[in-house]
Amino acid sequence: MTAVRGALRASMLLRSVALVVVVGVVLLLVTESLSSYRNLQLADGAYYFCVLAGLTVLAGSSGQISLGHGAFMAVGAYTVAKLGNAGWALLPELVAAVVVTLVVGIPVGMAASRLRGPYLAGATLAFAVGLPALADKFPSFLGGENGLSINPPVPPSSLGASFPLERWEAWIACAGALVTLFVFYNVIHSSIGRSFRAVRDDEIAASLVGLRVGRRQTLAFALSAAAAGLGGGLLAVVTQLAQPGAFPLQLSLTLLAGVVIGGLGSLWGAVWGAALLVLLPNWTNDIANSFSLSTSVSHNLPIAVYGLVLIGAMLLWPSGIQGGVRAAVAAVRPRVAGRAGRGRPAAVSEAGAGESPVPVSSDQAASDEAAKAPSER
Amino acid sequence: MTKFIDLTLSGISDGAIYAAVALALVLIWRSTRIVNFAQGAMLMITTFIASAVINSGGSYVLGFAVALASGFVFGAVVERVVVRPIEHAPPLNAVILTLGLYTLLVAVAGMIWGNTPRSFPAAFSLRGYKVGGTTLLFTPNDTFIVLVVIAVAVALALLFRATSVGLRMRAAAFAPEVARLLGVRVGRMLTLGWALAAMTGALAGVLVAPSVFLGPNSFDPILIIGFVAAVLGGLDSPPGAVVGGLVLGLALSYVSGYEGSALVPLAALAILVIVLMIRPTGLFSATKERRV
Amino acid sequence: MLTIEELTTDYGPVRAVDHVSLEVPDGSVTAVLGANGAGKTTLLRTLTGLVRPSSGHVTLAGRDITRLPVEEIVRLGMAHVPEGRGVIAELTVQENLRLGGMWRGRDAAPPAEIYELFPRLEERRTQPASRLSGGERQMLSIGRALMGRPRVLLLDEPSLGLAPVLVAQIMSLVRKLADTLGLTVLLVEQNARSALSIASRGVVLNLGRVVAEQDPHKLAADDRLLHAYLGF
Ligand SMILES: Nc1ncnc2c1ncn2[C@@H]1O[C@H](COP(=O)(O)OP(=O)(O)OP(=O)(O)O)[C@@H](O)[C@H]1O
Ligand SMILES: [Mg+2]
């Protein structure tokens, strides 16, 4: 038992594999018992997770925020749609979606790495509005306003003839989410992740110790774009459609609400955020029904909540749910927080209003220490 | 050739509107170092209010006046209630906050007025002037738009340059701490700055609504283009915002005329990226004086 | 009369002003001396409300002003010429001056009065303040403070970076203002000799505390004290 624990502590790769296997098995069992509707929701949550994980790593690790990730989702979705209609199989299609968005993400990231604050926000906002307009420019290739439709994925016959489509879609989307989790877990806990955070915390100091700040930020941006591309590709598979209307400005702002509510900088935060994005429209719908509100009210209620969440988070709770959970854990178990060392003051300051919304993640800092420990001995 | 002239003329009237939006952004940036991404939604709300006044029997002039007045109040309230608490927070907080406000306002407008765009009356005829048999793509209403925006720009310039309130506002924007030491009530100046900015935005909303229709998301492209215009002009300079708006109006009019309107947002993005890469402080901003 | 009682100001864990008590009579010039980091600037900033004290009181002409906002303290006649002059570079000389008197309304000093004190400023009236030399900026900053006809003038290192001739001019001007207008002056200086030469009283700060408060001539002659706290 201690040997296993020691091995887990020593190897980040092993830990991440263990994490992915455990989460995967849990998801597999869960999908068995979920209704078709719930399985579709799970699929929605899984592709949102991919995008939010990328955004949160970008924000928490390199201090940039992007409002253009809705456009990267569109790139992924259109890639999947074009290739799917050209007869490609599912897996190569999704890989291609990742590769294409990575390639698009690199120049965008290079431009973004030179911009700060409101300039970056405005530029990525313009990107979110500008890119989907391409579908109108090339109606014969990209399908114009109506977009491109895709054939639904077919569950392999080995699963049995009656295997529900929704469960298969949930599996596909969850597999994508697990790959994202695996990659980002390793990125965050690797020397790359540490160098990202060094850049975020102090660009000048980072460049003095020889980190190439622009390159780190470009890399972080391109990685997060690729994750958004995967998310968009999965969205296309699940909804069987790639359409400019699916990627409005509002989507990018919803994603922003998702990362902010989850707490920037932690993968757990991305899970919370994804859950919120899926469940909130349901809840507000229920509320609207039970108060028999009009459809224009019930349609706009989730969006109003996202807006309130963003405003409220900035005014009251700048580190999101995950920051709150961490603060609560730290309060209940001071020992844990104490062990986190340099993570603790950050967790405390996160609770204060007016702090930067890009907090140092205390659990990351703690694991950094753990990861470094063996080599120092 | 007539096409070129037409595109130039309509570019000027579009440019006047972009200039007004850019002015609204610049006024706020100068005084609080915040880009008000909620501006597009704020002017959408005030235009809906004007529409409600006109639909319930008020004259166009009354609707126009109500839009400006409600913009003024709205700007002041936003500054006092949500912006004041994050004034000293890192810049990212303000970005997220104003985007949250944008999102909230769009949703609220959708709840009250529905998401289907509706028409909005123009002040003057939308039929182009006739010059020697050909009809130009420039209408009496375009003349009105250009004149009103010029009038507002001149009024703002006079306010800032020639009045003592304007002097106090500039002092509060350039050096808030020193201004306080000279007895300037900096908080009030910031509120006033937001109020004036939102009023200018409200003006742009009423002017542009006849051509884009009025819906919760109708003004999103104009906000983005206004931002590009403001950055083009240096984000810090009101005259720069006006020039930036006109330049962008012309450029986008040609793009739309010769390459199709689908490319307009992308062209705006391209111009923004080029400007930011070549000269992040904007093309028209004055170089910084020495500061000791 | 400006009265400071047990004033204490902290920046987080750093105590910059530590239980300082002073009485500054009307029409007097009090020189506040001290090494870098002694807390002189912080003392002045606390007096005008730019930073909040942790404890203690400030009374101006019998009124407790400790918790008033900066703008109100200024309106009670406290003028502060900040460290580094605080000229607003983007505004013209004239505009800087006008701003100084604006809170006073009609009772502000006419700019001509200031131009009489500093003829150089009149020549450069319409130029942006960014074009002024260091000495001219100091004149502008002091002139601007006088525009509001203040009761109390807080000067933070006016001699910084100025040629000795100019320092002497500024010092004698300060003395003259105190004598003719009855202005109460708190003069923060590193340049101990010139400050003490015109002061009615000298105060030495060290690590936020008053370590000496004396007649300026005695203080100027006290080599041991000046050496210990000012590095002479
Ligand atoms: N904004 C601040 N935050 C934290 N500490 C500060 C701040 N301003 C000053 N201090 C600290 O307070 C102490 C007093 O500083 P202050 O500026 O008042 O000194 P000073 O006597 O004016 O020095 P100098 O002669 O160099 O101007 C110093 O230790 C300084 O480091
Ligand atoms: Mg000092």
Side-chain angles (χ1 to χ4, degrees):
Chain A
M1 187 62 209
T2 26
V4 171
R5 209 182 279 164
L8 281 181
R9 192 168 298 162
S11 163
M12 175 179 69
L13 202 62
L14 272 185
R15 260 186 301 151
S16 59
V17 170
L19 178 69
V20 165
V21 168
V22 170
V23 175
V25 169
V26 169
L27 282 174
L28 202 65
L29 295 177
V30 165
T31 54
E32 293 290 329
S33 57
L34 288 183
S35 67
S36 308
Y37 179 65
R38 292 284 172 202
N39 264 325
L40 266 187
Q41 282 193 319
L42 182 63
D44 288 343
Y47 65 68
Y48 277 133
F49 171 79
C50 297
V51 190
L52 295 184
L55 275 175
T56 206
V57 166
L58 179 65
S61 303
S62 77
Q64 293 179 303
I65 65 163
S66 163
L67 304 167
H69 273 47
F72 288 120
M73 288 181 75
V75 171
Y78 274 94
T79 307
V80 163
K82 280 315 277 188
L83 297 179
N85 292 343
W88 285 42
L90 186 65
L91 185 62
E93 234 168 66
L94 289 171
V95 171
V98 172
V99 172
V100 170
T101 31
L102 191 66
V103 170
V104 177
I106 289 171
V108 179
M110 274 169 15
S113 72
R114 299 182 52 181
L115 303 178
R116 296 289 169 272
Y119 289 98
L120 178 60
T124 50
L125 213 54
F127 181 69
V129 172
L131 202 69
L134 272 183
D136 280 343
K137 178 64 186 167
F138 304 106
S140 54
F141 184 67
L142 296 175
E145 279 295 326
N146 297 325
L148 304 169
S149 56
I150 309 164
N151 293 328
V154 186
S157 47
S158 54
L159 290 171
S162 64
F163 194 84
L165 173 65
E166 290 79 8
R167 195 185 299 165
W168 178 236
E169 287 174 337
W171 282 18
I172 296 171
C174 287
L178 287 174
V179 170
T180 308
L181 176 65
F182 176 79
V183 171
F184 281 126
Y185 188 90
N186 282 288
V187 166
I188 286 178
H189 295 122
S190 69
S191 60
I192 301 179
R194 272 196 295 278
S195 70
F196 283 167
R197 286 192 289 283
V199 168
R200 174 202 63 190
D201 292 340
D202 191 341
E203 285 187 18
I204 295 164
S207 65
L208 285 179
V209 299
L211 293 178
R212 272 182 268 203
V213 170
R215 276 201 195 180
R216 304 283 147 171
Q217 287 182 335
T218 305
L219 180 61
F221 197 97
L223 273 179
S224 76
L230 177 61
L234 292 170
L235 177 144
V237 171
V238 173
T239 61
Q240 287 132 41
L241 192 65
Q243 189 188 27
F247 309 98
L249 179 60
Q250 193 57 57
L251 173 65
S252 292
L253 297 181
T254 303
L255 294 172
L256 177 69
V259 279
V260 168
I261 190 73
L264 299 179
S266 97
L267 288 175
W268 271 113
V271 176
W272 294 115
L276 181 89
L277 295 194
V278 174
L279 295 176
L280 185 69
N282 263 21
W283 294 335
T284 53
N285 224 348
D286 292 347
I287 293 172
N289 284 342
S290 61
F291 288 93
S292 57
L293 301 173
S294 73
T295 50
S296 61
V297 171
S298 70
H299 277 167
N300 285 298
L301 206 50
I303 301 172
V305 173
Y306 297 141
L308 285 174
V309 158
L310 289 174
I311 297 172
M314 288 307 103
L315 294 182
L316 309 170
W317 204 14
S319 61
I321 291 185
Q322 184 56 22
V325 169
R326 250 190 335 250
V329 168
V332 175
R333 292 199 306 179
R335 197 178 51 84
V336 175
R339 217 183 48 198
R342 66 194 159 100
R344 203 170 75 93
V348 171
S349 66
E350 274 163 31
E355 284 292 321
S356 163
V358 182
V360 177
S361 153
S362 61
D363 52 3
Q364 282 170 19
S367 344
D368 285 354
E369 239 93 79
K372 259 189 297 178
S375 56
E376 280 165 6
R377 258 174 229 139
Chain B
M1 193 57 207
T2 33
K3 184 169 186 187
F4 181 79
I5 293 171
D6 272 346
L7 293 177
T8 307
L9 289 174
S10 72
I12 289 174
S13 109
D14 290 350
I17 288 165
Y18 303 154
V21 179
L23 264 177
L25 295 176
V26 165
L27 290 182
I28 288 175
W29 173 262
R30 261 159 62 103
S31 60
T32 45
R33 294 288 134 181
I34 289 174
V35 172
N36 180 17
F37 288 110
Q39 184 62 71
M42 287 167 67
L43 65 89
M44 176 266 295
I45 298 275
T46 53
T47 310
F48 264 117
I49 293 175
S51 167
V53 168
I54 294 170
N55 286 344
S56 60
S59 66
Y60 181 87
V61 175
L62 183 66
F64 194 92
V66 167
L68 296 198
S70 58
F72 189 88
V73 174
F74 199 6
V77 170
V78 165
E79 197 275 335
R80 272 290 145 110
V81 177
V82 291
V83 174
R84 186 64 61 90
I86 58 138
E87 221 166 60
H88 300 288
L92 207 48
N93 291 44
V95 170
I96 295 177
L97 182 101
T98 54
L99 287 170
L101 186 60
Y102 162 90
T103 309
L104 177 65
L105 292 177
V106 166
V108 168
M111 288 180 189
I112 302 177
W113 293 294
N115 285 55
T116 324
R118 54 177 82 177
S119 65
F120 188 89
F124 291 94
S125 159
L126 292 177
R127 216 168 280 159
Y129 291 110
K130 280 207 175 65
V131 177
T134 50
T135 311
L136 292 178
L137 211 63
F138 198 78
T139 66
N141 197 53
D142 289 326
T143 311
F144 173 69
I145 290 174
V146 172
L147 290 180
V148 167
V149 172
I150 290 175
V152 166
V154 169
L156 284 174
L158 282 178
L159 175 75
F160 281 116
R161 294 278 149 204
T163 70
S164 73
V165 171
L167 177 56
R168 275 179 281 163
M169 288 181 74
R170 282 188 293 152
F174 293 135
E177 185 169 280
V178 175
R180 295 182 74 196
L181 285 180
L182 300 174
V184 175
R185 293 192 159 92
V186 171
R188 279 190 207 172
M189 295 302 124
L190 299 188
T191 310
L192 185 58
W194 273 75
L196 286 174
M199 191 168 86
T200 312
L203 174 85
V206 177
L207 293 180
V208 78
S211 50
V212 298
F213 284 57
L214 175 56
N217 290 102
S218 297
F219 304 104
D220 295 356
I222 287 157
L223 172 68
I224 304 277
I225 294 171
F227 174 74
V228 178
V231 171
L232 197 61
L235 211 48
D236 233 342
S237 127
V242 173
V243 176
L246 286 176
V247 168
L248 203 60
L250 289 173
L252 295 182
S253 175
Y254 298 138
V255 168
S256 161
Y258 293 118
E259 297 294 328
S261 61
L263 276 190
V264 165
L266 272 177
L269 171 66
I271 293 171
L272 176 67
V273 169
I274 292 169
V275 171
L276 286 175
M277 291 300 125
I278 299 175
R279 201 154 163 218
T281 53
L283 292 187
F284 303 104
S285 71
T287 37
K288 276 274 167 254
E289 306 276 357
R290 73 171 165 149
R291 267 186 205 246
V292 183
Chain C
M1 172 86 118
L2 177 68
T3 315
I4 304 168
E5 287 170 86
E6 296 288 314
L7 199 65
T8 301
T9 304
D10 302 290
Y11 294 109
V14 179
R15 177 149 291 186
V17 172
D18 194 356
H19 293 92
V20 169
S21 297
L22 277 181
E23 292 207 342
V24 191
D26 289 342
S28 72
V29 177
T30 302
V32 178
L33 312 174
N36 292 119
K40 309 179 296 291
T41 297
T42 307
L43 175 63
L44 295 196
R45 290 173 64 83
T46 314
L47 293 180
T48 29
L50 287 172
V51 288
R52 292 287 156 204
S54 320
S55 62
H57 290 280
V58 183
T59 324
L60 178 61
R63 179 159 176 208
D64 187 340
I65 60 165
T66 322
R67 305 265 151 207
L68 289 184
V70 182
E71 298 87 332
E72 299 311 318
I73 295 178
V74 172
R75 281 177 167 68
L76 292 173
M78 181 107 85
H80 182 167
V81 177
E83 193 172 23
R85 296 158 192 141
V87 156
I88 302 181
E90 291 88 345
L91 304 181
T92 64
V93 169
Q94 217 166 13
E95 286 172 333
N96 267 286
L97 283 180
R98 265 176 66 206
L99 210 48
M102 219 168 252
W103 63 268
R104 265 269 188 224
R106 282 163 198 277
D107 299 332
E113 212 168 275
I114 308 301
Y115 292 139
E116 211 169 293
L117 288 177
F118 304 109
R120 290 281 286 280
L121 293 181
E122 182 157 29
E123 292 162 25
R124 328 208 69 186
R125 222 169 48 225
T126 54
Q127 295 194 3
S130 56
R131 305 246 183 92
L132 298 185
S133 74
E136 289 163 342
R137 284 175 190 220
Q138 192 62 62
M139 295 175 198
L140 177 55
S141 191
I142 295 175
R144 188 178 64 184
L146 296 176
M147 282 290 292
R149 295 199 191 282
R151 272 194 273 196
V152 180
L153 184 62
L154 311 180
L155 293 170
D156 199 342
E157 302 206 28
S159 75
L160 195 75
L162 298 191
V165 192
L166 250 133
V167 175
Q169 274 177 19
I170 295 222
M171 292 300 163
S172 63
L173 173 71
V174 168
R175 187 68 247 175
K176 194 177 89 188
L177 291 170
D179 292 341
T180 56
L181 305 176
L183 198 61
T184 309
V185 182
L186 210 53
L187 171 63
V188 161
E189 263 302 338
Q190 296 264 3
N191 192 337
R193 306 239 176 247
S194 27
L196 290 173
S197 70
I198 56 139
S200 333
R201 224 160 32 118
V203 174
V204 179
L205 279 188
N206 186 47
L207 296 175
R209 279 178 220 235
V210 177
V211 289
E213 185 178 355
Q214 274 180 19
D215 176 88
H217 304 293
K218 279 196 199 136
L219 203 53
D222 192 339
D223 286 335
R224 198 187 48 78
L225 193 84
L226 293 185
H227 183 75
Y229 295 118
L230 305 171
F232 278 86

PDB file of all heavy atoms in Angstrom, chain C residues 40-42 83 156-157 188, ligand 2:
ATOM      1  N   LYS C  40       8.560  60.985   6.466  1.00  0.00           N
ATOM      2  CA  LYS C  40       8.156  62.382   6.267  1.00  0.00           C
ATOM      3  C   LYS C  40       7.004  62.491   5.276  1.00  0.00           C
ATOM      4  O   LYS C  40       5.984  63.140   5.531  1.00  0.00           O
ATOM      5  CB  LYS C  40       9.364  63.191   5.743  1.00  0.00           C
ATOM      6  CG  LYS C  40      10.628  63.013   6.575  1.00  0.00           C
ATOM      7  CD  LYS C  40      11.797  63.797   6.019  1.00  0.00           C
ATOM      8  CE  LYS C  40      12.272  63.353   4.636  1.00  0.00           C
ATOM      9  NZ  LYS C  40      12.916  62.046   4.577  1.00  0.00           N
ATOM     10  N   THR C  41       7.166  61.840   4.126  1.00  0.00           N
ATOM     11  CA  THR C  41       6.122  61.904   3.108  1.00  0.00           C
ATOM     12  C   THR C  41       4.822  61.306   3.638  1.00  0.00           C
ATOM     13  O   THR C  41       3.734  61.852   3.441  1.00  0.00           O
ATOM     14  CB  THR C  41       6.577  61.147   1.846  1.00  0.00           C
ATOM     15  OG1 THR C  41       7.731  61.801   1.324  1.00  0.00           O
ATOM     16  CG2 THR C  41       5.492  61.120   0.799  1.00  0.00           C
ATOM     17  N   THR C  42       4.967  60.183   4.342  1.00  0.00           N
ATOM     18  CA  THR C  42       3.770  59.544   4.869  1.00  0.00           C
ATOM     19  C   THR C  42       3.055  60.453   5.860  1.00  0.00           C
ATOM     20  O   THR C  42       1.824  60.518   5.881  1.00  0.00           O
ATOM     21  CB  THR C  42       4.148  58.215   5.543  1.00  0.00           C
ATOM     22  OG1 THR C  42       4.888  57.444   4.612  1.00  0.00           O
ATOM     23  CG2 THR C  42       2.918  57.458   5.987  1.00  0.00           C
ATOM     24  N   GLU C  83       5.510  65.329  -3.046  1.00  0.00           N
ATOM     25  CA  GLU C  83       6.864  64.936  -3.411  1.00  0.00           C
ATOM     26  C   GLU C  83       6.908  64.750  -4.932  1.00  0.00           C
ATOM     27  O   GLU C  83       5.983  64.216  -5.524  1.00  0.00           O
ATOM     28  CB  GLU C  83       7.171  63.607  -2.713  1.00  0.00           C
ATOM     29  CG  GLU C  83       8.612  63.212  -2.726  1.00  0.00           C
ATOM     30  CD  GLU C  83       8.844  61.989  -1.832  1.00  0.00           C
ATOM     31  OE1 GLU C  83       7.894  61.243  -1.587  1.00  0.00           O
ATOM     32  OE2 GLU C  83       9.982  61.792  -1.385  1.00  0.00           O
ATOM     33  N   ASP C 156       6.647  69.094   0.352  1.00  0.00           N
ATOM     34  CA  ASP C 156       7.431  67.856   0.458  1.00  0.00           C
ATOM     35  C   ASP C 156       8.682  67.956  -0.415  1.00  0.00           C
ATOM     36  O   ASP C 156       8.614  67.831  -1.633  1.00  0.00           O
ATOM     37  CB  ASP C 156       6.566  66.658   0.029  1.00  0.00           C
ATOM     38  CG  ASP C 156       7.137  65.343   0.538  1.00  0.00           C
ATOM     39  OD1 ASP C 156       8.338  65.319   0.897  1.00  0.00           O
ATOM     40  OD2 ASP C 156       6.388  64.348   0.588  1.00  0.00           O
ATOM     41  N   GLU C 157       9.793  68.202   0.224  1.00  0.00           N
ATOM     42  CA  GLU C 157      11.104  68.310  -0.432  1.00  0.00           C
ATOM     43  C   GLU C 157      11.100  69.242  -1.632  1.00  0.00           C
ATOM     44  O   GLU C 157      11.411  68.832  -2.759  1.00  0.00           O
ATOM     45  CB  GLU C 157      11.594  66.917  -0.860  1.00  0.00           C
ATOM     46  CG  GLU C 157      11.677  65.985   0.332  1.00  0.00           C
ATOM     47  CD  GLU C 157      12.696  64.869   0.146  1.00  0.00           C
ATOM     48  OE1 GLU C 157      13.679  65.098  -0.598  1.00  0.00           O
ATOM     49  OE2 GLU C 157      12.519  63.807   0.734  1.00  0.00           O
ATOM     50  N   VAL C 188       8.979  69.735   4.677  1.00  0.00           N
ATOM     51  CA  VAL C 188       9.751  68.501   4.731  1.00  0.00           C
ATOM     52  C   VAL C 188      10.989  68.675   3.881  1.00  0.00           C
ATOM     53  O   VAL C 188      10.901  69.111   2.738  1.00  0.00           O
ATOM     54  CB  VAL C 188       8.897  67.316   4.213  1.00  0.00           C
ATOM     55  CG1 VAL C 188       9.776  66.149   3.816  1.00  0.00           C
ATOM     56  CG2 VAL C 188       7.886  66.891   5.267  1.00  0.00           C
TER      57      VAL C 188
HETATM   58 MG    MG D   2       9.500  61.391   0.981  1.00  0.00          MG
END
